[in-house]
Amino acid sequence: MSPLKLSRMSRALMTLVVIIVAVYLLLCAALLVFQRALIYFPQPRAIGTSASLITLSVDDAQVLVSVRPHDGPNALIYFGGNAEDVSRSLPSFSAAFADQALYLLHYRGYGGSSGSPSEEAIQRDAVALFDQVHATHPHVAVVGRSLGSGVAIRLASQRPASRLILITPYNSVEELAARQFPVFPVKWLLKDKFESWKYADRLTVPTLLIAAEHDEVIPRSSTERLLGHFAKGVASLKVIPGAGHNSISESPEYLKLLGEGL
């Protein structure tokens, strides 16, 4: 092959490499900028009147909470999934947990709450809600589902929850994102990592992890890794047979296990 042809091939190869690197960097930049749109999927509120809503006392947003008031010492705070309208759980929770005051947080941007969701903003709201509830209910159970399991476990490491229930929980969102996007440096790009494992070994509150047998979103291995970070005797794992990630709440075992964990 002539030197001229070799030179042309070399330039073409170099051009191809430059294009591939440029596209990769552009995709990294897009992931950095738009990542929260891949984590949070705000939903409108389907159920709720002024009698079943309160506004959380925070300075920088109007954060709504679906409630079922109840006098007495016991309350339940619920944090939902990333595409969940938590108000839909209010009727079934009200019927199943008659002795609990219920507080279901609508994340910023969800269900009429103002603002935009982020891990730190949601966590500040979670702490504010707990403090408000705990002032009138000394026994507060904290429940988190899917994305909300990361909110719940961190809250329980900061405040005196009486019980902790984690539904379809994960070890960390960073771990899940790295599995979903293996060719990208997720560790350096991800802003909201929801590292549940960091808080597990701090907890002494009785904790129940509930997994779906056929969870197609959060691998059982991630849930089991999280379980391994708890001190011995603090947490237990229950698996609902036949359930998927989104269908777990349709199982007859779902509310039964929640009730046993309270």
Side-chain angles (χ1 to χ4, degrees):
M1 186 177 294
S2 70
L4 180 59
K5 287 185 177 179
L6 285 173
S7 178
R8 287 175 178 171
M9 288 180 62
S10 178
R11 286 198 299 271
L13 182 59
M14 182 60 68
T15 300
L16 179 60
V17 169
V18 169
I19 291 172
I20 291 172
V21 170
V23 169
Y24 179 78
L25 292 176
L26 183 63
L27 290 173
C28 285
L31 188 59
L32 178 65
V33 173
F34 299 110
Q35 60 183 272
R36 284 185 172 135
L38 301 175
I39 297 175
Y40 306 103
F41 300 93
Q43 301 296 312
R45 189 179 65 254
I47 300 172
T49 63
S50 58
S52 62
L53 283 171
I54 62 171
T55 301
L56 194 60
S57 298
V58 293
D59 293 333
D60 57 339
Q62 183 184 55
V63 178
L64 302 180
V65 184
S66 286
V67 301
R68 196 285 305 276
H70 182 74
D71 292 333
N74 301 319
L76 181 154
I77 296 176
Y78 177 77
F79 304 104
N82 68 336
E84 182 177 354
D85 168 21
V86 296
S87 73
R88 292 184 179 275
S89 293
L90 193 59
S92 59
F93 280 17
S94 296
F97 312 125
D99 294 331
Q100 307 274 342
L102 302 175
Y103 297 85
L104 288 66
L105 180 70
H106 295 276
Y107 302 142
R108 296 178 184 222
Y110 289 67
S113 292
S114 66
S116 299
S118 71
E119 180 179 4
E120 292 307 316
I122 292 172
Q123 209 63 46
R124 290 195 303 271
D125 297 341
V127 170
L129 178 57
F130 185 95
D131 290 345
Q132 185 172 319
V133 172
H134 194 250
T136 53
H137 302 282
H139 302 134
V140 182
V142 175
V143 181
R145 178 175 177 179
S146 192
L147 181 74
S149 66
V151 182
I153 193 172
R154 184 173 171 183
L155 176 62
S157 75
Q158 299 170 310
R159 291 295 188 269
S162 61
R163 291 287 189 276
L164 176 62
I165 301 176
L166 306 175
I167 305 159
T168 60
Y170 47 80
N171 200 42
S172 76
V173 164
E174 178 185 346
E175 177 186 276
L176 297 178
R179 178 173 174 263
Q180 187 74 20
F181 302 101
V183 300
F184 295 107
V186 167
K187 180 178 181 179
W188 309 111
L189 296 175
L190 193 63
K191 298 173 183 177
D192 297 351
K193 298 184 177 182
F194 288 96
E195 295 173 303
S196 296
W197 63 269
K198 279 189 174 181
Y199 309 103
D201 65 357
R202 306 179 190 178
L203 298 177
T204 57
V205 58
T207 300
L208 174 63
L209 283 66
I210 302 176
E213 182 183 18
H214 303 304
D215 196 318
E216 66 283 10
V217 176
I218 297 174
R220 179 79 61 80
S221 58
S222 183
T223 300
E224 290 175 347
R225 274 193 292 277
L226 175 61
L227 179 64
H229 287 285
F230 285 88
K232 186 176 181 180
V234 170
S236 60
L237 172 64
K238 300 289 186 181
V239 179
I240 295 184
H245 185 80
N246 294 316
S247 65
I248 189 170
S249 56
E250 300 169 11
S251 169
E253 295 296 310
Y254 179 69
L255 291 176
K256 179 182 177 183
L257 281 177
L258 287 184
E260 291 175 358
L262 296 178

